[in-house]
Amino acid sequence: MVGLSVGEKHFIQGGIAQDLRSDGRKRLTYRPIYVETGVIPQAHGSARIRLGATDVIASVKAELGKPSALQPDKGKIAIYVDCSPTAAPMFEGRGGEELSTELSVALQRCLLGGKSGSAGSGIDPSSLVIVEGKVCWDLYIDGLVISSDGNLLDALGAAIKAALSNTGIPKVNVASETSGDEQPEVNISDEEFLQFDTSGIPVIVTLTKVGRHYIVDATSEEESQISSAISISINRKGHICGLTKRGGAGLDPSIILDMISVAKHVSEQLINKLDSEIAAAEANEEES
Amino acid sequence: MRGLQLPLNQTQRIRLQRALEKLHSLSSKANSDASVTVADTIPVNYDDAFLKGHGTTDLNGELVATVCGVVERVNKLVYVRALRARYKPEVGDIVVGRVVEVAQKRWRLEINFSQDAVLMLSSMNMPDGIQRRRTALDELNMRSIFEENDVVCAEVRNFHHDGSVQLQARSQKYGKLEKGQLLIIDPYLVKKSKQHFHYLEQFGIDLILGRNGFIWVGEHVEARDGMIVDQANNSEQSTVEKDQAYTPLEMRQNICRIANAVRVLSTLGFNVDADLIIETAELSSSLNIDIHDMLGSEFHVLVAEREAERRSLMTKRKR
């Protein structure tokens, strides 16, 4: 990241304190979100989200697999993020790996409820099972960061939500009844698709604390000033699906509760905005 | 023009298209022959002897362009000047740069050139204002003048024999820039003009258009009469002052408005000069457009239409 002089840092902090950031936004305003769906035709679902200069792509691929022995009635979902070297010079070679793992883990925690049980996760894995105990869908969700200007987690969360609403999982006909350990034969239809139900998918809101105030959707300049940040994933009902705290500074518990209520308020507008943008993008995609 | 990454709805797209077509038709016809893309043949009289310059190559006996740009001819030299290349310094240009290194008796600045520019200690006015030989003590105290990551305004003095650029900051108006924001746009959008330092009185803002594409928008600072003499006290005082005095809100709003005007103009690919920036900012405030909405698609379309109208009026007046 390009460094900032003391004068510039002071200017940014002053802006945040006075509720007028460098590009004229208020503290709790998001940058304009630009959604495009269906950008990767070979994948079952994909979306590209632009949040200012931050540019991310998410793609969803479904493959047939065997459910795990511990949870035979649930499919499997894996989320993996890759930071492309074109996003920033520090991502060259293996530089982006740390950030990629951090983002992948945070997304898994927010959307899937952690690696241990998938109970209560944002995406319901039981809808992915085909034949209990034998065949299920494995969803591989990949995120790619093309250009980074801050707030990657929110952008990736929104991209995954858009990609999942764009996903069409092929309908499967189970060919014959089998018993015992035999693998059932399945026919994957090329014509019919099942749309994924994305109304329950949470959206991620990252609140960055700079000085005594919190801002939403920080650019990379503002992110260089953070003392701490909290990423909360909230679904449509207003329930918290996941929570991550980053940054070295300690936070008073009352501040965390305050940030959670602020995030809840912001997430309502964000979910509505995102849903309308996704619907518009899908309509555009159908036209073209 | 780079594809606009703005969510435009249908009517906005049509309006923008129309405005851009109008601008395109208004631009002088002579130049349209000169722009080339990769693998275009360059119209050259092959009987005359000519020199093949940068951006050209000989392909099957024809002179072909290897970059997208404009064909320039200087005497017998034919070359293609790429548009979105790095900044190409000329002597006397005003540039804004960021200090990347404090080295022996010099600072290295990043100015969007292929090499870092050098600002010698001897090309800087000393804080006490006296013209004297730089001592070893001055060298040790270089950090009190400029530190790493400081934003500095300077003038191109000359080129070194190895191609690197030397800068100077001898006048009062050059020096460290604080209390504002730095914007980065493409260098080709800033054309050489008589004035690069603008003091916008109605806003109370300094606007510095660096020819390397670094634009500084900040609070107005009176031309420095040398910094405070005692440098040790200075650093203490300045940190205490800074904690207390943030930029006042109204000035900050003006700074943000001007900065957004620059961003809009650079997204649309228009030449950035002070008059146009002021006009754009006044357009936004006269239409009561919220500062953040200036970066939305509607305002971009409005600015494009305004510019098309303005240029058509200018050409009509010329005739």
Side-chain angles (χ1 to χ4, degrees):
Chain A
M1 286 293 110
V2 185
L4 289 175
S5 72
V6 175
E8 283 173 293
K9 286 185 186 163
H10 183 74
F11 188 78
I12 292 178
Q13 282 168 7
I16 292 173
Q18 292 173 339
D19 205 14
L20 184 64
R21 290 149 78 174
S22 304
D23 52 359
R25 282 186 288 157
K26 299 226 168 286
R27 284 196 280 262
L28 299 178
T29 316
Y30 266 86
R31 285 173 280 186
I33 306 179
Y34 189 34
V35 180
E36 261 177 89
T37 52
V39 289
I40 304 180
Q42 306 95 312
H44 289 110
S46 58
R48 177 181 185 180
I49 292 238
R50 259 169 276 187
L51 201 60
T54 300
D55 203 344
V56 299
I57 293 186
S59 76
V60 176
K61 258 231 157 239
E63 284 175 7
L64 285 178
K66 201 162 183 286
S68 77
L70 298 166
Q71 288 168 338
D73 62 339
K74 291 193 157 74
K76 286 180 281 179
I77 308 178
I79 303 185
Y80 177 65
V81 174
D82 184 29
C83 294
S84 154
T86 57
M90 60 182 186
F91 292 159
E92 200 184 358
R94 302 195 61 185
E97 247 174 75
E98 206 185 292
L99 183 61
S100 306
T101 359
E102 196 191 313
L103 288 170
S104 310
V105 167
L107 282 169
Q108 275 168 359
R109 202 171 287 149
C110 287
L111 296 172
L112 299 179
K115 278 161 70 171
S116 57
S118 315
S121 65
I123 310 170
D124 184 15
S126 5
S127 58
L128 296 175
V129 76
I130 304 172
V131 176
E132 202 174 301
K134 304 235 179 77
V135 185
C136 71
W137 282 113
D138 284 343
L139 272 191
Y140 293 100
I141 306 182
D142 288 294
L144 177 66
V145 175
I146 304 177
S147 161
S148 160
D149 190 24
N151 210 18
L152 289 174
L153 199 54
D154 290 15
L156 282 165
I160 291 181
K161 189 173 161 85
L164 282 170
S165 51
N166 181 243
T167 305
I169 301 198
K171 255 201 177 136
V172 174
N173 299 319
V174 182
S176 50
E177 285 293 323
T178 53
S179 56
D181 298 325
E182 282 178 33
Q183 278 293 98
E185 285 178 32
V186 286
N187 288 331
I188 304 181
S189 114
D190 282 331
E191 303 294 315
E192 294 161 18
F193 290 92
L194 286 171
Q195 286 296 109
F196 218 71
D197 177 27
T198 57
S199 54
I201 296 186
V203 83
I204 305 182
V205 174
T206 302
L207 275 175
T208 315
K209 187 160 188 289
V210 177
R212 277 180 293 156
H213 304 271
Y214 349 111
I215 53 175
V216 135
D217 195 14
T219 63
S220 50
E221 284 175 353
E222 291 164 342
E223 270 187 359
S224 65
Q225 303 287 300
I226 65 167
S227 50
S228 49
I230 291 196
S231 300
I232 310 176
S233 79
I234 304 185
N235 67 7
R236 192 175 277 278
K237 292 189 216 131
H239 294 166
I240 299 181
C241 301
L243 192 61
T244 313
K245 179 201 174 284
R246 288 179 287 137
L251 283 178
D252 196 64
S254 57
I255 297 189
I256 294 192
L257 290 172
D258 191 30
M259 284 168 102
I260 291 180
S261 62
V262 168
K264 189 164 165 226
H265 172 70
V266 169
S267 70
E268 287 163 14
Q269 300 164 355
L270 181 62
I271 289 187
N272 290 335
K273 177 103 199 295
L274 204 52
D275 281 339
S276 63
E277 290 286 326
I278 293 177
E282 303 233 294
N284 266 346
E285 190 202 342
E286 278 165 24
E287 272 172 43
S288 57
Chain B
M1 198 194 67
R2 186 182 329 187
L4 270 188
Q5 295 176 350
L6 288 171
L8 297 166
N9 63 29
Q10 204 52 23
T11 38
Q12 284 171 339
R13 208 167 289 168
I14 298 177
R15 283 162 63 196
L16 186 63
Q17 199 67 20
R18 227 177 270 158
L20 292 173
E21 276 166 17
K22 202 167 164 193
L23 284 170
H24 193 69
S25 65
L26 286 171
S27 62
S28 51
K29 296 284 186 291
N31 274 343
S32 58
D33 291 336
S35 62
V36 286
T37 45
V38 180
D40 275 356
T41 19
I42 299 176
V44 154
N45 192 352
Y46 288 98
D47 297 329
D48 296 336
F50 62 89
L51 290 174
K52 300 187 277 280
H54 285 300
T56 65
T57 188
D58 205 2
L59 195 65
N60 299 334
E62 281 183 340
L63 195 63
V64 153
T66 53
V67 291
C68 302
V70 174
V71 175
E72 304 265 352
R73 294 160 212 269
V74 178
N75 293 338
K76 291 202 196 300
L77 176 66
V78 177
Y79 67 98
V80 181
R81 179 172 53 90
L83 282 180
R84 227 186 296 156
R86 283 201 174 248
Y87 166 58
K88 200 153 167 272
E90 290 163 24
V91 177
D93 271 355
I94 307 236
V95 292
V96 175
R98 202 185 275 280
V99 177
V100 289
E101 192 193 334
V102 180
Q104 267 199 334
K105 286 209 186 70
R106 72 202 65 186
W107 290 275
R108 287 232 155 73
L109 273 71
E110 196 233 312
I111 56 169
N112 198 15
F113 181 44
S114 50
Q115 295 185 21
D116 286 335
V118 164
L119 176 62
M120 303 291 297
L121 178 58
S122 46
S123 314
M124 248 320 283
N125 278 340
M126 280 290 105
D128 44 12
I130 308 174
Q131 304 273 25
R132 57 180 171 77
R133 210 184 163 94
R134 312 289 185 248
T135 62
L137 190 61
D138 289 323
E139 208 180 318
L140 290 173
N141 287 339
M142 278 174 79
R143 272 218 173 70
S144 62
I145 305 178
F146 296 140
E147 265 196 321
E148 275 90 350
N149 289 328
D150 274 346
V151 180
V152 174
C153 174
E155 186 188 357
V156 175
R157 184 175 166 199
N158 58 20
F159 288 93
H160 249 206
H161 46 85
D162 58 1
S164 66
V165 176
Q166 266 214 349
L167 303 176
Q168 69 166 357
R170 274 207 170 279
S171 164
Q172 288 304 341
K173 50 189 176 163
Y174 300 129
K176 180 145 75 168
L177 298 171
E178 297 174 320
K179 299 192 192 171
Q181 48 176 320
L182 183 71
L183 302 163
I184 301 184
I185 63 176
D186 286 327
Y188 75 97
L189 293 173
V190 185
K191 298 289 182 234
K192 194 169 179 97
S193 76
K194 290 196 207 93
Q195 265 280 47
H196 283 274
F197 293 92
H198 301 274
Y199 169 36
L200 307 176
E201 267 142 28
Q202 68 265 49
F203 300 115
I205 287 174
D206 269 343
L207 174 67
I208 303 182
L209 300 170
R211 285 219 63 210
N212 55 342
F214 286 15
I215 312 260
W216 174 263
V217 186
E219 257 187 63
H220 178 63
V221 180
E222 291 303 325
R224 289 147 266 246
D225 346 341
M227 297 181 222
I228 308 174
V229 177
D230 199 341
Q231 288 173 0
N233 271 356
N234 186 24
S235 46
E236 277 176 30
Q237 268 183 21
S238 50
T239 38
V240 168
E241 270 176 52
K242 275 165 187 175
D243 283 337
Q244 295 165 351
Y246 284 139
T247 321
L249 185 60
E250 216 194 293
M251 190 169 295
R252 191 177 285 277
Q253 283 174 341
N254 290 333
I255 292 181
C256 288
R257 221 176 256 282
I258 302 267
N260 277 353
V262 174
R263 288 187 182 110
V264 169
L265 290 174
S266 82
T267 317
L268 288 169
F270 294 152
N271 281 339
V272 170
D273 66 5
D275 297 326
L276 196 51
I277 296 176
I278 298 179
E279 250 187 62
T280 316
E282 281 175 353
L283 174 67
S284 76
S285 48
S286 67
L287 294 174
N288 279 332
I289 297 182
D290 196 31
I291 302 179
H292 178 52
D293 290 333
M294 281 172 78
L295 297 176
S297 14
E298 180 60 32
F299 190 63
H300 278 91
V301 177
L302 281 172
V303 169
E305 289 175 341
R306 191 39 148 33
E307 178 66 11
E309 262 182 59
R310 195 182 69 94
R311 272 202 220 163
S312 65
L313 280 176
M314 262 174 51
T315 42
K316 275 186 202 152
R317 264 186 229 150
K318 272 187 200 165
R319 287 183 210 144

